[in-house]
């Protein structure tokens, strides 16, 4: 796949609107170990488009999500933790009384933005819910997963049909068509299913993994190259989407790329284990990729260590849309970090789990506390033990560590209260 021109904010002679287009890309089940430019994992997909965005913008190292799909998506949509929206598991439905980021932008900008969600919704099974919540256009998948990437249920304008186009390609087609119709600034939430199961071989023109066998036994025996093919296909299609924009449109677009939770256990790579990937609140489950580049992001080819949470996308996107809000609900804007490496940021970042035992995790710059509903605790110094190999519970804590544990527990109590 060819790399697009990602000089989307050259600011030299291209007139751009005060209101940028906002493109949020969500990859499904793509952890740090499956992402270029992160040290975790030894097998990496070939992603020239994402690498181009990394070169042109900021790669966030300490971005936290939820351990599974739906609560992460609800946290972005509402700026609230799952315990506040009731969406903590993949089967939980969002209440349409929640204020979505799309509705918040509409209300506070006088409908200055067109909005769409294309791809995976996975927050309810009612096809009209995205529209009810203020999204102008929804087309995609209501459920969490596809039975087959080449034969799946597409819902558009409230009508569900069977699509036989490769899902990643179809979502991209829909995105290109929608963007092409817009006459005002737009906010597109493009949620790919890739690389979520079922593991499969993506169309050969979209990846570099080779001509692999496509029978279930081969895939089950060695899922990694198939998983990588889906990621690479997503990157190729993202490039097609970016290349479909005019020079002026690209110059006025900010692109945010994230993973929604860690890698599935079948393809988790060291330093993560199969029991510490997706579905867990260990780093392998909730420390996920985020890259931001484009309009209004002068920091280029840098890594950012600040603590950021998926809820923070709400207030940050609102700020990008011209709404001055440093925080709302559980969302703290990281907008200042887009221009200033010394900007203040969160002291704590927090996540929860309900589907694999109940509990929470909370960290500051150095320490991480995990507490489960049964009272079990784990405590780690991430500055010296980044992958949680040495539980400090039961050891003699330093004065600093003891104070940090107390502060983390107190903050968690405040959040959960």
């Amino acid at each position: 796949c060819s790399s697009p021109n990602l000089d989307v904010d050259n600011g030299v002679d291209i007139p751009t609107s005060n209101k940028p287009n906002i493109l949020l890309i969500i990859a499904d089940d793509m952890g740090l170990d499956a992402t270029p430019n992160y040290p975790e994992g030894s097998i990496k997909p070939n992603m020239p488009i994402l690498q181009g965005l990394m070169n042109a913008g900021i790669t966030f190292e300490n971005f936290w999500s939820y351990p599974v799909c739906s609560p992460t998506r609800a946290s972005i949509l509402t700026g609230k933790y799952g315990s506040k929206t009731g969406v903590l598991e993949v089967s939980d439905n969002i209440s349409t009384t929640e204020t979505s980021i799309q509705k918040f932008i509409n209300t506070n900008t006088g409908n200055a933005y067109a909005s769409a969600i294309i791809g995976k919704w996975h927050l309810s099974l009612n096809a009209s819910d995205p529209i009810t919540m203020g999204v102008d256009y929804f087309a995609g998948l209501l459920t969490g997963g596809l039975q087959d990437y080449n034969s799946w249920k597409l819902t558009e304008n409230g009508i569900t049909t069977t699509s036989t186009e490769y899902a990643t390609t179809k979502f991209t087609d829909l995105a290109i068509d929608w963007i092409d119709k817009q006459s005002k600034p737009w906010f597109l939430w493009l949620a790919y299913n890739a690389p979520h199961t079922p593991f499969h071989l993506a169309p050969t023109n979209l990846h570099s993994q080779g001509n692999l066998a496509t029978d279930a036994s081969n895939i089950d025996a060695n899922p990694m190259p198939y998983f990588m093919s889906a990621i690479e296909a997503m990157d190729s299609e993202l490039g097609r989407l970016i290349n479909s924009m005019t020079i002026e449109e690209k110059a006025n677009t900010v692109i945010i790329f994230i993973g929604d939770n860690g890698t599935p256990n079948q393809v988790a790579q060291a330093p993560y284990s199969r029991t510490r990937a997706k579905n867990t609140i260990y780093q392998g489950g909730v420390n996920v990729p985020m890259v931001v580049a484009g309009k209004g992001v002068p920091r280029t080819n840098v890594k950012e260590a600040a603590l950021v949470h998926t809820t923070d996308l709400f207030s940050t996107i609102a700020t990008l849309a011209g709404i001055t809000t440093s925080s709302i609900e559980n969302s703290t804007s990281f907008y200042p970090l887009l221009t200033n490496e010394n900007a203040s940021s969160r002291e704590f970042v927090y996540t929860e789990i309900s589907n694999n035992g109940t509990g929470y995790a909370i960290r500051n710059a150095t320490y991480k506390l995990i507490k489960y509903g049964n009272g079990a605790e784990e405590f780690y110094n991430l500055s010296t033990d980044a992958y949680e190999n040495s539980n400090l519970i039961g050891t003699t804590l330093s004065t600093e560590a003891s104070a940090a544990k107390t502060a983390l527990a107190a903050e968690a109590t405040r959040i959960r209260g």
Side-chain angles (χ1 to χ4, degrees):
C1 55
S2 62
S3 181
N5 171 18
L6 288 169
D7 187 14
V8 290
D9 188 28
N10 59 30
V12 180
D13 55 7
I14 299 174
T16 60
S17 159
N18 288 327
K19 292 191 179 298
N21 304 311
I22 302 161
L23 175 59
L24 171 64
I25 305 289
I26 305 177
D28 198 353
D29 288 5
M30 181 175 163
L32 300 185
D33 52 327
T35 308
N37 210 27
Y38 288 92
E40 295 79 8
S42 58
I43 301 170
K44 296 288 189 176
N46 179 32
M47 299 186 76
I49 308 308
L50 183 62
Q51 190 65 60
L53 292 173
M54 290 169 162
N55 295 343
I58 306 168
T59 300
F60 287 79
E61 298 175 308
N62 292 309
F63 177 59
W64 267 24
S65 68
Y66 275 78
V68 287
C69 307
S70 297
T72 291
R73 291 157 205 275
S75 73
I76 301 168
L77 190 72
T78 66
K80 294 181 179 182
Y81 295 129
S83 52
K84 309 298 183 186
T85 63
V87 181
L88 282 164
E89 301 186 32
V90 293
S91 58
D92 292 334
N93 290 340
I94 192 77
S95 168
T96 55
T97 61
E98 295 286 353
T99 299
S100 70
I101 177 60
Q102 292 85 358
K103 186 171 185 178
F104 185 78
I105 290 172
N106 280 347
T107 302
N108 289 280
T109 65
N111 294 318
Y113 273 78
S115 66
I117 292 180
I118 294 173
K120 177 172 170 174
W121 169 244
H122 202 199
L123 287 169
S124 67
L125 294 176
N126 188 328
S128 64
D129 281 356
I131 308 302
T132 300
M133 297 186 75
V135 180
D136 295 332
Y137 172 77
F138 169 75
L141 185 75
L142 294 172
T143 56
L146 302 166
Q147 292 296 109
D148 183 332
Y149 271 69
N150 294 295
S151 180
W152 51 280
K153 299 298 184 185
L154 167 65
T155 299
E156 183 179 14
N157 298 324
I159 299 169
T160 300
T161 57
T162 298
S163 174
T164 55
E165 186 174 6
Y166 184 64
T168 306
T169 297
K170 182 61 175 178
F171 293 157
T172 307
D173 290 345
L174 290 164
I176 291 170
D177 290 347
W178 182 80
I179 289 172
D180 194 48
K181 294 185 176 88
Q182 303 316 309
S183 58
K184 60 183 180 180
W186 47 261
F187 167 32
L188 171 57
W189 169 316
L190 177 54
Y192 286 111
N193 268 85
H196 193 288
T197 53
F199 299 127
H200 63 281
L201 186 65
T204 52
N205 62 313
L206 298 178
H207 67 87
S208 65
Q209 294 297 312
N211 190 19
L212 302 166
T214 57
D215 59 289
S217 60
N218 273 287
I219 295 173
D220 290 345
N222 182 27
M224 187 66 78
Y226 300 90
F227 180 66
M228 292 293 162
S229 83
I231 295 175
E232 292 183 0
M234 174 176 59
D235 190 74
S236 296
E237 293 291 30
L238 177 55
R240 184 165 68 92
L241 171 61
I242 294 170
N243 276 328
S244 75
M245 298 183 205
T246 65
I247 293 173
E248 292 80 8
E249 198 159 33
K250 277 192 285 191
N252 196 42
T253 300
V254 58
I255 302 173
I256 304 169
F257 178 97
I258 70 164
D260 69 343
N261 49 247
T263 301
N265 61 17
Q266 307 98 305
V267 286
Q269 298 184 62
Y272 307 132
S273 69
R274 289 172 67 103
T275 58
R276 293 192 167 197
K278 178 184 176 178
N279 285 307
T280 78
I281 46 179
Y282 293 107
Q283 293 294 88
V286 300
N287 187 187
V288 294
M290 179 168 72
V291 180
V292 184
K295 172 73 175 183
V297 187
R299 297 179 66 195
T300 60
N301 197 25
V302 296
K303 292 193 173 184
E304 175 54 64
L307 303 179
V308 182
H309 191 268
T310 49
T311 53
D312 299 340
L313 287 163
F314 187 108
S315 53
T316 304
I317 289 169
T319 306
L320 288 167
I323 305 162
T324 304
T325 173
S326 60
S327 64
I328 185 169
E329 302 294 353
N330 304 121
S331 177
T332 300
S333 175
F334 59 87
Y335 179 81
L337 287 169
L338 302 183
T339 57
N340 179 8
E341 64 181 319
N342 297 312
S344 61
S345 57
R346 280 179 173 269
E347 183 179 357
F348 304 99
V349 67
Y350 168 88
T351 192
E352 307 157 303
I353 192 166
S354 178
N355 62 306
N356 189 18
T358 302
Y360 70 80
I362 186 167
R363 69 164 293 186
N364 62 17
T366 304
Y367 293 97
K368 177 176 177 180
L369 175 65
I370 297 174
K371 188 163 185 176
Y372 293 103
N374 64 6
E377 288 185 325
E378 298 177 31
F379 186 56
Y380 300 97
N381 182 337
L382 294 180
S383 66
T384 58
D385 180 25
Y387 306 113
E388 303 153 298
N389 293 311
S390 301
N391 184 5
L392 298 177
I393 297 294
T395 68
T396 302
L397 298 178
S398 68
T399 302
E400 175 196 89
S402 181
K405 182 175 180 292
T406 299
L408 289 168
E411 178 67 10
T413 299
R414 186 194 67 78
I415 289 169
R416 294 166 70 81

